[in-house]
Amino acid sequence: MATATAEKNYIPKKETGNFIIGLTGQNLVYSLIGGSFFTYFMTDIALFPALAVSALLIIMKVWDGINDPIIGSFIDRHTFKNGEKLRPFLRYTPLPVGVLTVLLFLVFSTKENLLWLRISYFIIMYICWDLAYTVQDVSVWGITAMVSPNSNERDRFVQWARTIGSAVYGAFSTLIPMAIEMIANAKGVSMSLVTLVFAIIFGLGGAMISYRCYSAQERIHVNIAEKQSSLGESFLLLFKNKMLLLVTLANLFGSLGFGASLVTYFFKYEIPADFIGGGIIGALGLTTIYFAMTSLPSFIGMVFADKFKKKLGGYVNVLILIQVTNIIVRIIAFFVGFEGNKLWISMIIIGIGSIPAGASSIAQTSIFCDSIDYMEWKTGKRTEGITFSMQTSFTKISSGITSGLATLALHILGYIAVDNADVYVGTQTSAFDTWIWPLVILTPAIASVLFIIPLLFVNYNKEKRVLVESDLKARREGKAESGISPYCQK
């Protein structure tokens, strides 16, 4: 049975292409918000105090932690009149996401006496944006578990989606800040105005492109009687999903590597303005170059993700390899240092070490899809909504923890934003100058050590995957199963 399933493909190339185009649009939107630029926007463009930004990020991510699972549970417990569970959301959410993205980047004032009003506006806009984006994102990734009952074909679909999506996000999340800075400097206009223009182009424009995700089809359906009956049951199923919980815990540990969010501040206050480009390229430009050198090699890992999986015996082992490599290269880079041309050497070292990291998002999405199949095998109930809401929730919570810890570290180090100065080096405290390099380089390595620990307890091998897929195929066709699953025994 498993062999027959593996041989049959369900997803037309046109459907894959349209979904990837739509995913490109969604990642154009998220490139404005998901990277370190969003924190920089709050501290150095909207001019919110660092401590206020830290508190804002914590508040926003607490909202994410409450909001996302509730949305996921709602999606799992409801079906549209046409029998679909996720596709209609891919049609209705893009416009609200685009409009709210533009409003989120509107800086109507930087006066200190209006700080309370500006922060209140920002929180309201973020909550509304996050609500719309979460519904879309859960649906986008939830449908990847439903496009095919063939897990191998599904893995290939996920690999292409994650590879192209990550490529777009990686490119634009690094290029957009550099472009904003260079245009503002060249034209002599405010960064806030240029940022708003970019929010219209990439936020609203990207959201319109994301309509194309609606082309994906749902090919796995569960009888309405097998759906969760309540929010409580949805959460009960969530906490039975050991694979999901362990990978989620690993990601939470990974968020402690907050130093990656401090790269722009490091370049602005520790590297001379004439280091490259004769002063035309500033801190945001250097950040773009840094992320290009340290992240672009990861796309090699995306292309070869499936080969890594086969060579290492599964995606869990791929995730462990990624973390071990990150630990090694960052320790080496730390001792190389950043004085003069040593900075280039350190960036090259980290870049080489990032090659396998490209497989990370592919590996995690595949594991989540497997966990959905496994939960259906055990309970008869599929949990795309709650599972991928937890993925998006903890992705945002993790980024919030990372950014929150980063801005808290800035506060502890005595950071004060310096604007429109000829020379930035030497304008921060001695504590900032002493600790910024270790924080940038070593905190991600420490986080990688912690990331590995939960993965050691994931037990879902190739043989179990084949058994689950074979039993589910038999169950959907009304045939006899192996009889091993708790659902079958019940």
Side-chain angles (χ1 to χ4, degrees):
M1 290 183 182
T3 304
T5 302
E7 291 176 350
K8 184 175 180 180
N9 292 323
Y10 297 82
I11 312 171
K13 291 182 179 179
K14 184 177 180 180
E15 180 180 325
T16 302
N18 280 324
F19 183 81
I20 289 174
I21 291 172
L23 194 62
T24 297
Q26 192 206 27
N27 277 277
L28 289 177
V29 177
Y30 200 61
S31 64
L32 292 165
I33 296 173
S36 59
F37 173 71
F38 193 53
T39 303
Y40 185 83
F41 166 77
M42 287 189 278
T43 59
D44 285 44
I45 297 178
L47 296 181
F48 295 149
L51 186 59
V53 172
S54 180
L56 276 173
L57 289 167
I58 292 172
I59 291 171
M60 291 187 299
K61 299 314 171 181
V62 168
W63 161 250
D64 286 340
I66 297 171
N67 165 54
D68 288 16
I70 293 175
I71 290 176
S73 173
F74 173 83
I75 290 174
D76 278 335
R77 291 184 289 115
H78 294 81
T79 302
F80 286 85
K81 291 181 179 180
N82 62 358
E84 292 178 332
K85 177 179 179 181
L86 299 171
R87 283 188 75 235
F89 290 118
L90 301 179
R91 182 179 181 181
Y92 300 133
T93 53
L95 182 59
V97 168
V99 172
L100 290 166
T101 301
V102 174
L103 294 176
L104 186 60
F105 283 95
L106 176 62
V107 180
F108 56 83
S109 172
T110 55
K111 295 180 180 179
E112 288 190 19
N113 63 327
L114 293 177
L115 180 62
W116 67 273
L117 181 60
R118 295 192 294 121
I119 289 179
S120 299
Y121 169 83
F122 185 83
I123 291 174
I124 293 170
M125 286 302 105
Y126 181 85
I127 288 174
C128 294
W129 174 87
D130 182 67
L131 181 64
Y133 185 84
T134 297
V135 175
Q136 183 186 41
D137 202 42
V138 169
S139 301
V140 164
W141 291 110
I143 206 167
T144 63
M146 305 177 75
V147 291
S148 174
N150 178 346
S151 61
N152 291 318
E153 183 185 30
R154 185 181 66 204
D155 281 353
R156 292 192 296 270
F157 185 83
V158 167
Q159 181 174 357
W160 276 108
R162 281 295 186 187
T163 299
I164 302 299
S166 296
V168 172
Y169 171 74
F172 283 89
S173 64
T174 52
L175 290 175
I176 285 175
M178 182 178 183
I180 289 174
E181 182 183 57
M182 293 181 70
I183 292 172
N185 290 340
K187 298 296 183 180
V189 296
S190 67
M191 291 275 285
S192 60
L193 176 60
V194 181
T195 300
L196 182 62
V197 173
F198 271 64
I200 294 171
I201 296 171
F202 294 100
L204 183 57
M208 295 303 96
I209 296 173
S210 71
Y211 269 114
R212 299 292 288 274
C213 286
Y214 181 66
S215 63
Q217 302 295 314
E218 297 183 12
R219 296 182 175 86
I220 296 177
H221 300 279
V222 177
N223 190 295
I224 190 69
E226 300 295 345
K227 292 184 178 293
Q228 297 94 297
S229 60
S230 65
L231 177 63
E233 185 183 6
S234 295
F235 277 93
L236 182 62
L237 289 170
L238 172 67
F239 287 106
K240 287 182 178 180
N241 193 335
K242 185 178 178 181
M243 275 193 288
L244 172 65
L245 294 178
L246 288 172
V247 175
T248 297
L249 181 60
N251 279 302
L252 285 178
F253 285 151
S255 68
L256 300 178
F258 61 88
S261 295
L262 296 172
V263 170
T264 302
Y265 302 94
F266 166 75
F267 283 127
K268 186 172 182 177
Y269 297 104
E270 300 299 321
I271 304 301
D274 59 355
F275 179 72
I276 187 173
I280 297 176
I281 297 178
L284 289 173
L286 284 172
T287 302
T288 297
I289 294 170
Y290 171 84
F291 282 121
M293 291 183 64
T294 60
S295 301
L296 284 179
S298 68
F299 294 116
I300 299 174
M302 289 185 173
V303 174
F304 292 99
D306 189 59
K307 294 187 182 301
F308 287 156
K309 178 187 73 171
K310 293 176 181 177
K311 191 73 174 178
L312 297 173
Y315 273 131
V316 173
N317 291 334
V318 173
L319 291 178
I320 293 174
L321 169 68
I322 291 168
Q323 304 308 319
V324 170
T325 305
N326 188 52
I327 293 166
I328 294 171
V329 299
R330 284 187 171 274
I331 291 174
I332 295 173
F334 173 73
F335 286 106
V336 169
F338 66 89
E339 296 82 4
N341 289 328
K342 289 182 180 180
L343 179 61
W344 296 112
I345 299 173
S346 294
M347 289 194 290
I348 290 171
I349 291 170
I350 296 174
I352 293 172
S354 75
I355 290 175
S360 179
S361 60
I362 297 170
Q364 292 194 44
T365 303
S366 178
I367 291 171
F368 286 153
C369 289
D370 283 343
S371 77
I372 292 169
D373 282 350
Y374 186 59
M375 287 303 295
E376 183 185 358
W377 181 74
K378 285 179 63 177
T379 67
K381 300 179 180 181
R382 290 187 69 83
T383 57
E384 286 89 358
I386 194 73
T387 296
F388 281 97
S389 72
M390 290 303 294
Q391 182 195 30
T392 58
S393 174
F394 280 98
T395 296
K396 289 183 284 187
I397 289 174
S398 295
S399 68
I401 292 173
T402 299
S403 300
L405 289 174
T407 49
L408 181 60
L410 289 176
H411 174 72
I412 293 172
L413 296 177
Y415 171 79
I416 298 176
V418 177
D419 194 24
N420 296 323
D422 293 329
V423 178
Y424 292 100
V425 176
T427 60
Q428 292 297 325
T429 64
S430 59
F432 181 96
D433 294 335
T434 299
W435 286 101
I436 190 67
W437 176 248
L439 290 175
V440 166
I441 298 299
L442 292 183
T443 54
I446 295 170
S448 286
V449 174
L450 298 173
F451 191 103
I452 292 172
I453 296 173
L455 298 181
L456 300 177
F457 296 91
V458 177
N459 181 26
Y460 192 74
N461 55 31
K462 181 179 179 181
E463 290 74 21
K464 183 171 285 188
R465 192 188 202 202
V466 171
L467 171 67
V468 168
E469 185 175 352
S470 177
D471 273 357
L472 288 179
K473 181 177 184 294
R475 186 181 303 173
R476 291 165 189 151
E477 294 176 353
K479 299 178 181 178
E481 302 179 36
S482 65
I484 297 175
S485 74
Y487 177 80
C488 187
Q489 293 174 4
K490 180 181 67 175

